Every structure is written in C-alpha cells, then in structure tokens.
Amino acid sequence: MKKVLVMASGFGSNFEAIVEYFKNKDVCIELLSDKNNAYVLKRAKRLGIKSYIIPFNETSNFFLKHKFNLVVLAGYMRILPKEVLNLAEFINIHPSLLPKYKGLNAIKRAFMSGEKVSGITIHYVNEEVDCGEIIFQAECKIEPDMTLEEFEEQIHFLEHMHLPRVIEELIK
Ligand code: GRF
C-alpha cells in the first residue's frame, strides 16, 4: 500500500481534504506536526489518522526511521534543510501563482496588490522557500466586488479540490 505523509502545523483543512479523498482508496495517510497544540491534530484524531508530533530538530531522525512514497507540506511553517529533503520526495502547496507572492500571507498580499487573477501552486520542495519545480497551478479571478474573505474561500476551495488529485497522480 502506498504511504503519504502530510506535514502541517496549523488549521489542517488541506489535510482533511486529502484524508476524505483517499478514504476508500488503497492509500495510507499519516500526519506529522511540529506543534503539539496544532488544530490539525484534532482533525487527525477525529478522522482516525495516525499522527506524529515531531519537534523540528528531530525531523531528519524521523525520516531515517519512517519511509513514505510522498510527503506533502500543507501549512507546515518551517523550512526543511537539505539533509531532510534528501530522505524523501516532498511537495508543497502555496496559495498564489508562484513565482508571485512567495512566503507568508500570500493570499492577502495578492489581494491588496490589486491583482485581477491569482491562484494556487503545487510544487516540489527544495531548500529555497516556494521555489521548487512547479507541478500544477490553478487560477482564480479576483472580481472587483470580492471581499478578502470571499477570495480566501475561493483559494482554499481550489486547494482542496486539486491537491488530493495531484497527490494521486504522483504516487501512481
Ligand atoms: C494553505 O493555504 C496552503 O496553501 C498554505 O498554508 C495553508 C494551509 O491551510 N501553505 P490549512 O492548514 O490546510 O487549512
């Protein structure tokens, strides 16, 4: 059976979308969080998903012991060093059309900059933040009368729709 690890430190809506998508499929999803109070851990418990709480400085040890077909960063707010990246295949989801709006608060920055179009990017992870090879992008129009909240909702909708399918393609 294929094994996918989701790494997340926060809210975990993408994690839940992934779990739901693979529910009746032959794929094992597990969760790693670096924060013991992250909301995503509650989701894992409710969904019956195995979770690991691993402090950031123990990440490399973790991947020496545990093997996965793919590792998905979904709101894991840390930069992984090369020694960790060498131990598995990592992808990341980012809420902008990279290379635009790398880094934090990308949704708000795109919105405030008066962009007419933004979107999401799924990419391989390398040592530079939000810079790895792009695997998939989806666009979202920013209508003149849209609020930031509505735009955020659209972005998350796109993330939840596309990330599980991209994962499925990559582990095929
Ligand atoms: C997503 O917007 C993702 O693009 C970014 O972090 C956010 C995580 O959201 N990297 P959630 O924790 O999955 O709800």
Side-chain angles (χ1 to χ4, degrees):
M1 190 193 281
K2 296 282 166 79
K3 278 183 85 174
V4 174
L5 180 73
V6 178
M7 293 176 75
S9 322
F11 188 53
S13 67
N14 280 284
F15 163 72
E16 183 150 356
I18 294 165
V19 171
E20 287 300 333
Y21 184 84
F22 287 103
K23 207 157 59 181
N24 295 315
K25 300 191 173 168
D26 204 21
V27 174
C28 169
I29 309 289
E30 294 183 346
L31 173 74
L32 182 156
S33 178
D34 60 323
K35 292 203 186 118
N36 60 11
N37 59 352
Y39 183 71
V40 66
L41 291 165
K42 294 197 177 136
R43 294 189 193 253
K45 196 168 175 201
R46 169 165 53 78
L47 295 162
I49 297 292
K50 181 167 182 172
S51 58
Y52 306 89
I53 299 166
I54 306 292
F56 182 61
N57 60 7
E58 288 169 28
T59 314
S60 146
N61 256 337
F62 174 84
F63 283 107
L64 287 170
K65 282 191 222 131
H66 299 85
K67 296 296 164 201
F68 300 93
N69 296 91
L70 187 67
V71 181
V72 180
L73 307 186
Y76 182 75
M77 306 302 287
R78 297 275 198 166
I79 300 165
L80 294 170
K82 198 173 172 76
E83 79 208 49
V84 171
L85 297 177
N86 284 339
L87 297 172
E89 180 152 67
F90 291 80
I91 64 168
N92 180 47
I93 180 154
H94 185 77
S96 75
L97 293 175
L98 291 174
K100 282 185 159 183
Y101 306 104
K102 294 173 186 168
L104 295 175
N105 302 318
I107 300 177
K108 192 170 177 182
R109 284 189 289 128
F111 186 84
M112 294 301 188
S113 303
E115 295 283 356
K116 294 194 171 60
V117 175
S118 189
I120 64 160
T121 302
I122 298 166
H123 63 94
Y124 288 108
V125 180
N126 62 19
E127 285 156 286
E128 279 175 78
V129 177
D130 302 327
C131 280
E133 186 195 334
I134 291 172
I135 304 164
F136 176 88
Q137 291 187 307
E139 289 185 357
C140 162
K141 272 193 188 164
I142 308 180
E143 307 289 354
D145 60 349
M146 232 183 198
T147 64
L148 174 60
E149 289 69 32
E150 286 165 343
F151 173 52
E152 276 176 341
E153 209 173 289
Q154 286 285 311
I155 290 287
H156 295 310
F157 175 79
L158 285 180
E159 292 186 326
H160 302 162
M161 178 166 66
H162 293 293
L163 181 56
R165 290 185 173 85
V166 169
I167 294 170
E168 187 172 44
E169 271 305 304
L170 291 175
I171 62 176
K172 228 168 63 199

